[in-house]
Amino acid sequence: EIGWHQSDLADILNINKQTLSNYESGKSIPGNHVWALIMLALDFHPNYKLLKQDISSNWASHLDVLDHA
């Protein structure tokens, strides 16, 4: 557990807190550049398929948008 607040991650991603909330709730899906920043910020390995079962947020269901990699 990183211990960040939503606003901390939003600042790192250079997005507002509402946008991040929309990603978390599945109301919107971040673009590939934001996915890359999220993975870097949260120290996810680019081979997300190995980690997919460990991701507890709603983001896991949207990771398939990167399946072409």
Side-chain angles (χ1 to χ4, degrees), residues 7-53:
S7 58
D8 297 328
L9 183 56
D11 287 344
I12 289 168
L13 300 175
N14 197 31
I15 60 175
N16 66 51
K17 202 166 70 167
Q18 184 60 49
T19 299
L20 181 57
S21 178
N22 288 343
Y23 295 158
E24 290 176 338
S25 67
K27 291 181 182 175
S28 62
I29 299 172
N32 288 341
H33 68 286
V34 177
W35 276 123
L37 292 173
I38 290 169
M39 288 192 291
L40 286 171
L42 300 179
D43 198 25
F44 285 168
H45 189 277
N47 191 353
Y48 66 90
K49 287 186 178 190
L50 296 175
L51 300 172
K52 192 171 182 178
Q53 66 272 10

